């Protein structure tokens, strides 16, 4: 704010002497400094501003536009010593186990719902007619034989009267024997991985194309048995579609389809388990379909009489519809339960009461039951979590006593205790640990590794990384078989919080307890050391990995190389390549991706391409993207476009690679080419990646592209990307004078994330202050629009508008904005009053400025300096500055003279 005050004062002074050339407009992302913390730093800010008042002032920044502040401490790059490199060389030379240079690259193969029917056909037949385990073991270089003849394909094509694809004719009689074998294999083929993502996607696509009933019929006609998991996938599809419906009447159709699938399961003799019917009953409870709920519960009880979990949904339904008589009837029915097997129903009632917050009903039910029998429940963990949320210490203690008397035959007591104390409302992690150890000592049990893992995760989720490390140390001391995976949450928390320096203590702890690290752990640790620029430590970890002799280290070298490239250290990255050659580690596709992306010449790109072809490394999506980025960075955009012409690029990767090209073109100023490529993607039925769409939105500056902006915004499906893109489109609307469109977008943004809306609003008014031609009328329209949306106008936004009044010298707007401070409940502080004083002087309102000046405290010398600077700018030339200004000017002149003389002597 102080810098902005002095800057506009200086600009006004230059306008008085001679007309100044308009300054280049800066993006809204470099708006003026935030006034949020000005009161706390008044003296410091004014001192800094006053000392630089005669110098050129850099463009101020808006704090609301900054990314989240990094907590990274000042890191000092550690040079890699020759001793570390020698140790690495010796470790690589004495490696006991021969390891592959790289892992095989997975072939990306998937399908989207907008793909043409031919693509669905290929995926479907590749799964249905896929090889069995013996065939999958065949080397990739072996010749591929046909597994079906034209007649069989023609029959398959007509299943359900759905034309899948044209079958190629085959006239080779020598393949008949192999075809017969393939037919027999297909008849006996059983899906062994039906829960895989690929198969689930296939079931959903078939159901979307054919319908659920026709999908079941289709698989049956192909001789494929539809089991519980297949039916579960189709039922979940119906449930998701029902949830997506805007009204219950529309959802009834999918409810009926699901009911038909349940009936088919029963007729086939399949057991309908809780994981299938549970979400469905819960949906019926949520939408209040009581009749349908009663029908389905009766059906499930008849189909699976052994399932006691239906009682949970029955009680939950009674609670939702507030049927108190039925609730009491169900509760008293448990009084007759004598056997532990019957307690499953009572436990279901307990969970329903706990999750609904009915504490009194839960206590009454607990008083009716023999808690020693409840302690044997398979849902005991959920029960203790509920007891913790309701703070029922006495009942939790009784249950624990019952478990202790049975010798902990039903689970890990320490984990159950943790379930209780961790769910106590508003408990801090430190207090939770104290309570946990108190209960542990009381029941004389040792914490298990599972309990320790949960505590570590809780500490990391609360950003208590040091505490998590202490817990991990205690766990290692109490047990000799701690898995390295227990440290992974701590590693992830360090990466997320930028607390990289904890990595040293963590790695020392791991080595002290002689834990066996895996490849991903080594890489994560190296990444942390690299991010704090400790390459010496990273090389030491790499040497430890080489000495272990049990893992592939190519990914570890890649992590160090990436760190050097982040630091723009080309020689360091080349040293990594040299160390790989010494160790006999062959680079993989990731290595070449880093090398190509950071090439400084096209000759080096060609060299690395030749090398990876000689090494037999297949091109991957990231390699194609690296090529595009490298050529674009070097300015050879034609070569970047030529990458797309490669015939070997899989069709599935083409959309992502085109998006990478759009991003590279837009980021390097080739907006027209980027837009042409975007239009090509849309015409081919594809979609743009969020990163590329945001790059286009950010770099389009041409007026009249509002429709294009909305089209690009529609490309952003996930919430975070849409919010980021929306903010940039709003700024485009402000820059090109589209107030109605900007307000409409702010309304949509508020519905999604109100906090982000406030940040964007501050950016909007910051851009109005920054614009070459200050448009305060637009600013006032947007101000009223923001207020109509029910948003509170921040001090930062009003300060920007008041600063714009100084530039425009508008008395009318100055008074309007000054009144907005009072309307927003913002009392004027020193900075705001000084800004208003300057605005009044710039617009000729000297009388009002003099009146305002009486209310400004002048005890601070920096405030007096700003006042004198304003007077010198806006009053007559014979104005004499105060002693403060004269003293500062004299000191500054003498310091400049000393600097000049020192430079001359040098």
């Amino acid at each position: 704010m102080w810098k902005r005050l002095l800057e506009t004062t200086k600009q006004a002074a230059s306008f008085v002497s001679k007309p100044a050339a308009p300054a280049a407009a800066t993006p809204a992302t470099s708006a003026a400094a935030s006034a949020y913390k000005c009161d706390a730093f008044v003296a410091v800010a004014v001192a800094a501003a006053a000392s630089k008042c005669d110098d050129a002032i850099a463009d101020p920044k808006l704090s609301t536009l900054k990314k989240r502040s990094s907590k990274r401490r000042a890191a000092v790059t550690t040079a890699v010593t020759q001793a570390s490199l020698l140790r690495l060389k010796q470790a690589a030379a004495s490696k006991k186990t021969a390891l592959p240079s790289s892992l095989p690259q997975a072939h990306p193969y998937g399908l989207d719902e907008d793909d043409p029917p031919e693509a669905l056909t290929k995926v479907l037949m590749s799964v249905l007619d896929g090889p069995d385990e013996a065939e999958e073991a065949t080397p990739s270089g072996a010749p591929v034989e046909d597994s079906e003849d034209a007649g069989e394909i023609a029959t398959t094509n007509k299943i359900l009267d759905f034309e899948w694809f044209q079958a190629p004719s085959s006239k080779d009689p020598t393949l008949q024997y192999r075809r017969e074998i393939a037919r027999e294999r297909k008849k006996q083929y059983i899906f062994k991985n039906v829960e895989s993502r690929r198969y689930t996607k296939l079931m959903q696509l078939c159901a979307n194309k054919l319908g659920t009933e026709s999908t079941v019929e289709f698989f049956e006609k192909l001789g494929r048995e539809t089991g519980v998991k297949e039916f579960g996938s189709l039922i979940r599809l119906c449930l998701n579609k029902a949830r997506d419906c805007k009204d219950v009447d529309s959802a009834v159709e999918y409810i009926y389809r699901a009911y038909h699938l349940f009936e088919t399961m029963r007729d086939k003799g399949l057991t309908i388990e809780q994981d299938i019917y549970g979400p469905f009953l819960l949906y019926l409870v949520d939408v209040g379909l009581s009749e349908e709920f009663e029908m389905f519960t009766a059906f499930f009880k008849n189909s699976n009489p052994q399932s006691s979990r239906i009682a949970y949904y029955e009680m939950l339904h009674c609670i939702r519809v507030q049927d108190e008589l039925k609730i009491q009837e169900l509760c008293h029915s448990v009084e007759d339960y004598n056997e532990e097997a019957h307690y499953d129903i009572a436990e279901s009632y307990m969970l329903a009461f706990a999750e609904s917050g009915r504490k009194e009903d839960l206590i009454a039910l607990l008083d009716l039951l023999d808690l020693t029998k409840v302690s044997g429940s398979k849902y005991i963990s959920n029960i203790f979590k509920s007891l913790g949320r309701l703070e029922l210490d006495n009942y939790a203690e009784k249950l624990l006593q019952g478990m202790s008397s049975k010798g902990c035959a039903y689970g890990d007591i320490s984990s159950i205790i943790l379930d209780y104390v961790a769910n106590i409302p508003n408990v801090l992690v430190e207090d939770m640990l104290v309570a946990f150890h108190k209960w542990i000592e009381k029941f004389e049990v040792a914490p298990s590794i599972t309990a320790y893992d949960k505590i570590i995760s809780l500490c990391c989720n609360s950003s208590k990384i040091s505490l998590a490390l202490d817990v991990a140390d205690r766990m290692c001391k109490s047990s000799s078989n701690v898995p390295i995976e227990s440290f992974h949450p701590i590693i992830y928390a360090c990466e997320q919080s930028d607390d990289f320096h904890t990595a040293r203590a963590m790695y020392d702890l791991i080595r002290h307890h002689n834990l066996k690290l895996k490849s991903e752990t080594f890489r994560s640790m190296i990444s942390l050391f690299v991010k704090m620029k400790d390459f010496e430590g990273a090389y030491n970890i790499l040497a430890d990995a080489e000495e272990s002799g049990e893992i592939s280290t190519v990914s570890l070298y890649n992590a160090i190389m990436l760190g050097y490239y982040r630091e723009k250290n080309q020689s360091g990255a080349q040293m990594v390549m040299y160390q790989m050659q010494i160790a006999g580690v062959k680079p993989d596709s990731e290595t070449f991706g880093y090398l190509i992306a950071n090439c400084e010449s096209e000759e080096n790109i060609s060299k690395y391409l030749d090398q990876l072809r000689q090494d037999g490394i297949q091109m991957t999506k990231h390699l194609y993207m690296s090529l595009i980025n490298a050529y674009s960075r070097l300015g050879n955009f034609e070569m970047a476009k030529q990458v797309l012409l490669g015939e070997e690029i899989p069709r599935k990767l083409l959309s992502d690679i085109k998006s990478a090209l759009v991003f590279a073109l837009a980021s390097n100023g080739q907006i027209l080419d980027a837009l042409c490529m975007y239009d090509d993607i849309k015409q081919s039925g594809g979609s743009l990646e969020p990163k590329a769409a945001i790059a286009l939105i950010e770099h389009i500056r041409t007026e009249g592209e509002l429709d294009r902006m909305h089209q690009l915004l529609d490309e952003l499906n996930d919430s975070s990307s849409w919010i980021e893109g929306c903010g940039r489109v709003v700024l485009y609307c402000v820059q090109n004078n589209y107030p109605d469109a900007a307000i409409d977008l702010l309304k949509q943004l508020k519905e999604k994330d109100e906090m982000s809306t406030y940040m964007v609003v501050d950016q909007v008014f910051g851009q109005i202050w920054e614009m070459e031609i200050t448009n305060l009328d637009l600013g006032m329209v947007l101000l009223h629009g923001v207020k109509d949306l029910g948003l509170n106008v921040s001090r930062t936004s009003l300060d920007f508008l008041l600063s714009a009044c100084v530039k425009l010298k508008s008395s009318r707007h100055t008074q309007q904005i000054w009144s907005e401070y009072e309307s927003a409940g913002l009392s004027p502080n020193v900075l705001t009053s000084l800004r208003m004083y300057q605005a009044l002087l710039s617009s000729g309102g000297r009388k009002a400025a003099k009146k305002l000046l009486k209310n400004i405290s002048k005890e601070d010398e920096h405030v007096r300096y700003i006042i004198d600077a304003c007077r010198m700018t806006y009053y007559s030339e014979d104005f004499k500055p105060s002693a403060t200004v004269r003293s500062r000017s004299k000191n500054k002149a003498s310091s400049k003279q000393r600097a000049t003389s020192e430079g001359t002597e040098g």
Side-chain angles (χ1 to χ4, degrees):
M1 178 85 179
W2 294 102
K3 287 185 178 182
R4 188 164 73 249
L5 187 65
L6 288 171
E7 182 180 8
T8 51
T9 302
K10 183 179 178 183
Q11 290 175 354
S14 64
F15 292 154
V16 173
S17 59
K18 60 179 180 178
T26 56
T29 53
S30 60
S34 174
Y36 287 143
K37 300 183 180 178
C38 286
D39 290 338
F41 301 96
V42 165
V44 178
V46 176
S51 64
K52 299 180 181 180
C53 63
D54 296 329
D55 298 331
I57 300 177
D59 289 338
K61 308 292 181 184
L62 175 64
S63 63
T64 53
L65 297 181
K66 294 179 180 178
K67 298 180 179 178
R68 65 180 180 88
S69 59
S70 174
K71 300 179 182 178
R72 186 187 307 182
R73 305 174 187 173
V76 180
T77 304
T78 59
V80 182
T81 62
Q82 292 298 321
S84 296
L85 297 178
L86 179 60
R87 178 181 169 230
L88 177 62
K89 180 178 179 180
Q90 293 172 347
S94 61
K95 200 169 184 181
K96 298 179 180 179
T97 306
L99 297 173
S101 60
S102 63
L103 298 177
Q105 298 294 325
H107 183 66
Y109 191 35
L111 194 63
D112 295 327
E113 292 185 5
D114 56 354
D115 283 343
E118 307 87 61
L120 170 63
T121 300
K122 294 180 180 179
V123 176
L124 179 66
M125 300 310 295
S126 70
V127 174
L128 297 180
D129 301 325
D132 57 14
E133 294 180 357
E135 291 174 323
E136 289 177 353
T138 305
S140 59
V144 180
E145 306 290 353
D146 284 335
S147 60
E148 55 188 343
D149 56 13
E152 184 178 358
I153 297 178
T155 303
T156 306
N157 288 345
K158 295 299 182 179
I159 292 176
L160 302 178
D161 295 325
F162 190 95
E163 189 69 20
W164 291 93
F165 60 91
Q166 293 295 329
S169 58
S170 177
K171 300 181 180 180
D172 188 356
T174 62
L175 298 178
Q176 186 65 29
Y177 179 70
R178 293 191 180 96
R179 292 168 182 163
E180 293 295 335
I181 294 177
R183 291 193 192 99
E184 293 300 321
R185 285 175 176 171
K186 284 189 292 181
K187 290 179 182 179
Q188 300 176 3
Y189 188 83
I190 299 174
F191 291 107
K192 301 183 185 300
N193 191 22
V194 294
E195 278 300 296
S196 67
R197 180 186 62 84
R198 182 180 177 187
Y199 182 75
T200 302
K201 187 79 171 180
L202 174 64
M203 293 292 295
Q204 293 174 348
L205 287 169
C206 287
N208 284 328
K209 299 276 186 182
L210 308 174
T212 54
E213 298 178 11
S214 297
T215 298
V216 174
E217 179 187 355
F218 174 70
F219 280 93
E220 288 178 350
K221 288 192 175 184
L222 288 178
R224 307 298 188 242
E225 182 65 26
T226 306
V228 174
K229 293 180 179 179
E230 289 86 346
F231 276 107
S233 177
L234 296 175
I235 291 171
R236 283 192 294 272
L237 178 65
C238 293
L239 183 57
N240 292 334
K241 288 186 175 293
R243 285 172 175 162
D244 293 338
C245 294
K246 297 181 179 180
D247 56 86
V248 177
D249 293 335
S250 302
V252 170
E253 175 187 354
Y254 299 104
I255 295 174
Y256 171 76
R257 292 184 182 180
Y259 182 74
H260 181 74
L261 290 171
F262 281 124
E263 280 188 325
T264 306
M265 288 184 67
R266 181 195 59 186
D267 296 340
K268 287 179 171 288
L270 300 175
T271 303
I272 306 176
E273 297 292 349
Q274 188 265 339
D275 60 339
I276 296 180
Y277 71 73
F280 200 84
L281 289 179
L282 191 60
Y283 166 76
L284 296 177
V285 170
D286 291 338
V287 297
L289 294 175
S290 298
E291 294 183 4
E292 288 79 2
F293 178 84
E294 297 292 341
M295 179 186 70
F296 274 97
T297 51
F299 174 81
F300 293 139
K301 285 181 179 179
N302 293 331
S303 302
N304 188 4
Q306 303 300 324
S307 180
S308 60
R309 289 294 289 168
I310 299 176
Y312 164 77
Y313 299 99
E314 284 186 308
M315 180 59 77
L316 204 61
H317 176 256
C318 293
I319 294 172
R320 296 287 175 88
V321 299
Q322 299 180 355
D323 190 347
E324 299 296 333
L325 293 177
K326 182 68 173 178
I327 292 173
Q328 297 303 320
E329 177 185 344
L330 293 175
C331 286
H332 288 294
S333 66
V334 305
E335 292 180 303
D336 300 329
Y337 296 157
N338 296 319
E339 300 179 5
E340 292 186 19
H342 294 158
Y343 269 60
D344 285 348
I345 297 178
E347 291 151 9
S348 297
Y349 296 159
M350 290 169 57
L351 288 177
F353 286 142
E355 293 176 3
S356 302
R358 296 176 67 104
K359 186 174 181 178
E360 295 180 358
D361 290 330
L362 177 60
I363 292 175
L365 184 60
L366 289 170
D367 291 335
L368 289 174
L369 300 174
D370 182 357
L371 295 184
T372 60
K373 296 179 180 178
V374 176
S375 63
S377 169
K378 59 183 177 179
Y379 305 111
I380 194 68
S381 177
N382 292 334
I383 292 174
F384 269 88
K385 289 177 182 178
S386 302
L387 294 176
R389 284 191 292 268
L390 299 176
E391 299 183 80
L392 298 176
D393 289 7
N394 294 334
Y395 293 97
E397 187 172 351
K398 290 179 182 179
L399 283 170
L400 286 172
Q401 288 174 350
M403 295 182 68
S404 299
S405 64
K406 295 182 179 181
C408 191
Y410 297 97
D412 176 15
I413 292 183
S414 63
S415 293
I416 293 172
I417 291 174
L418 182 61
D419 288 333
Y420 177 80
V421 298
N423 284 276
I424 297 174
N426 303 320
V427 65
L428 299 176
V429 176
E430 295 85 353
D431 298 334
M432 181 268 295
L433 276 176
V434 172
F436 174 74
H437 289 295
K438 177 182 176 181
W439 285 74
I440 287 292
E441 294 174 0
K442 184 173 184 178
F443 289 94
E444 298 180 351
V445 294
S448 65
I449 293 179
T450 303
Y452 274 126
D453 286 343
K454 291 180 180 179
I455 294 173
I456 290 173
S457 296
L458 291 171
C459 292
C460 292
N461 293 337
S462 302
S463 300
K464 304 290 184 180
I465 301 177
S466 298
L467 184 59
L469 205 57
D470 293 339
V471 174
D473 187 21
R474 186 180 305 176
M475 174 177 60
C476 293
K477 291 177 180 177
S478 64
S479 177
S480 59
N481 56 349
V482 175
I484 192 60
E485 286 79 8
S486 298
F487 285 83
H488 287 179
I490 307 178
I491 296 174
Y492 179 75
C494 290
E495 293 174 343
Q496 294 300 308
S497 64
D498 293 350
D499 188 8
F500 305 134
H501 287 74
T502 308
R504 289 195 180 98
M506 179 165 39
Y507 192 68
D508 290 340
L509 177 63
I510 291 173
R511 293 191 63 190
H512 175 72
H513 292 289
N514 297 319
L515 299 183
K516 186 177 181 180
L517 277 72
K518 296 182 179 179
S519 179
E520 59 268 23
T521 314
F522 276 120
R523 182 182 175 101
S524 298
M525 294 303 302
I526 286 177
S527 296
L528 290 176
F529 274 73
V530 165
K531 286 178 180 178
M532 60 183 173
K533 304 178 184 179
D534 186 1
F535 291 95
E536 171 80 7
Y539 267 106
N540 286 331
I541 297 175
L542 178 57
D544 291 340
E546 291 282 10
E547 289 173 354
S548 69
E550 297 181 2
I551 64 171
S552 174
T553 56
V554 60
S555 64
L556 311 186
Y557 284 98
N558 291 338
I560 299 178
M561 178 182 290
L562 177 60
Y564 277 120
Y565 278 130
R566 284 174 178 165
E567 297 298 321
K568 308 300 181 184
N569 189 339
Q570 292 281 346
S571 61
Q574 291 300 319
M575 183 178 70
V576 176
M577 278 295 293
Y578 176 69
Q579 295 298 326
M580 291 177 71
Q581 293 175 3
I582 293 176
V585 176
K586 292 184 178 181
D588 61 0
S589 60
E590 182 183 4
T591 312
F592 283 109
Y594 295 149
L595 293 170
I596 291 174
N598 293 277
C599 280
E600 297 179 341
S601 66
E602 295 184 26
E603 291 77 9
N604 288 337
I605 296 178
S606 301
K607 180 183 72 174
Y608 290 131
L609 282 175
D610 293 339
Q611 186 176 345
L612 70 88
R613 292 191 185 103
Q614 291 174 3
D615 293 345
I617 297 176
Q618 293 184 353
M619 293 292 293
T620 64
K621 178 176 72 174
H622 295 290
L623 272 174
Y624 288 118
M625 291 180 176
S626 297
L627 277 173
I628 289 173
N629 291 329
Y631 283 125
S632 299
R633 184 168 49 83
L634 295 173
N636 193 339
F637 302 107
E638 290 303 320
M639 284 298 296
K641 297 174 186 177
Q642 290 293 324
V643 175
L644 289 175
L645 302 180
E647 298 180 355
E648 69 278 6
I649 300 179
R651 181 181 177 276
K652 181 62 180 179
L653 301 182
L654 202 55
S655 178
D656 292 339
I657 298 173
K658 285 183 177 180
S659 294
L661 179 58
V662 171
F663 174 82
L665 292 173
S667 301
N668 289 278
Q670 305 298 307
I671 298 299
L672 293 179
D673 288 346
L675 289 175
C676 290
M677 178 57 63
Y678 170 60
D679 292 336
D680 179 65
I681 293 174
K682 296 301 294 182
Q683 289 176 3
S684 62
S687 58
L688 203 60
E689 288 294 314
K691 184 179 179 181
I694 292 175
L696 272 178
I697 292 173
E698 182 177 4
H699 290 90
I700 291 177
R701 295 286 180 264
T702 310
E703 188 177 357
E705 295 283 352
L706 186 59
D707 291 338
R708 176 87 71 174
M709 288 291 182
H710 283 289
Q711 186 182 21
L712 288 168
L713 197 58
D714 292 338
E715 297 282 343
L716 305 174
N717 297 322
D718 62 290
S719 178
S720 59
S721 298
W722 189 90
I723 291 172
E724 182 181 357
C726 181
R728 297 178 188 275
V729 176
V730 170
L731 296 179
Y732 172 86
C733 293
V734 174
Q735 187 72 31
N736 294 279
N737 199 13
Y738 298 120
D740 294 338
I743 294 173
D744 181 63
L745 287 171
L746 288 175
K747 180 180 179 181
Q748 298 179 43
L749 183 58
K750 181 190 174 186
E751 295 173 355
K752 290 181 177 290
D753 188 347
E754 187 168 340
M755 185 59 67
S756 298
T757 309
Y758 282 107
M759 296 179 65
V760 173
V761 169
D762 285 343
Q763 296 174 28
V764 164
F765 293 114
Q767 180 160 339
I768 289 176
W769 173 77
E770 262 192 350
M771 291 169 65
E772 248 184 88
I773 302 176
T774 305
N775 190 345
L776 267 177
D777 291 330
L778 173 64
M780 298 306 296
V781 171
L782 292 173
L783 178 63
H784 293 305
V786 168
K787 293 172 64 176
D788 291 341
L789 292 176
L791 297 171
N792 298 321
V793 184
S794 69
R795 183 183 296 275
T796 300
S797 296
L798 294 176
D799 284 349
F800 280 131
L801 288 175
L802 200 55
S803 300
C805 291
V806 177
K807 292 175 63 177
L808 195 62
K809 301 179 182 180
S810 172
S811 175
R812 177 174 60 88
H813 288 108
T814 299
Q815 295 297 336
Q816 289 178 351
I817 295 169
W818 184 252
S819 64
E820 290 293 340
Y821 283 94
E822 184 177 357
S823 300
L826 301 170
S827 57
N829 56 23
V830 176
L831 294 173
T832 303
S833 298
L834 287 173
R835 171 59 69 202
M836 183 62 181
Y837 176 70
Q838 185 186 16
L840 291 172
L841 287 179
S842 67
S843 60
R846 295 187 179 183
K847 187 175 181 180
K850 186 176 181 180
K851 182 178 179 181
L852 177 65
L853 189 60
K854 296 179 180 179
N855 300 323
I856 300 177
S857 175
K858 306 175 188 62
E859 296 180 0
D860 194 308
E861 65 170 322
H862 305 99
V863 174
R864 296 195 299 272
Y865 182 85
I866 295 295
I867 294 173
D868 287 342
C870 291
R871 287 174 174 174
M872 291 177 63
T873 301
Y874 298 110
Y875 278 85
S876 59
E877 296 180 358
D878 58 352
F879 172 76
K880 294 182 179 180
S882 65
T884 302
V885 177
R886 291 198 302 270
S887 174
R888 285 185 176 273
S889 300
K890 184 177 180 180
N891 292 338
K892 190 166 186 179
S894 61
S895 63
K896 286 184 177 179
Q897 185 176 3
R898 285 196 302 270
T900 304
S901 61
E902 291 174 0
T904 305
E905 293 175 1

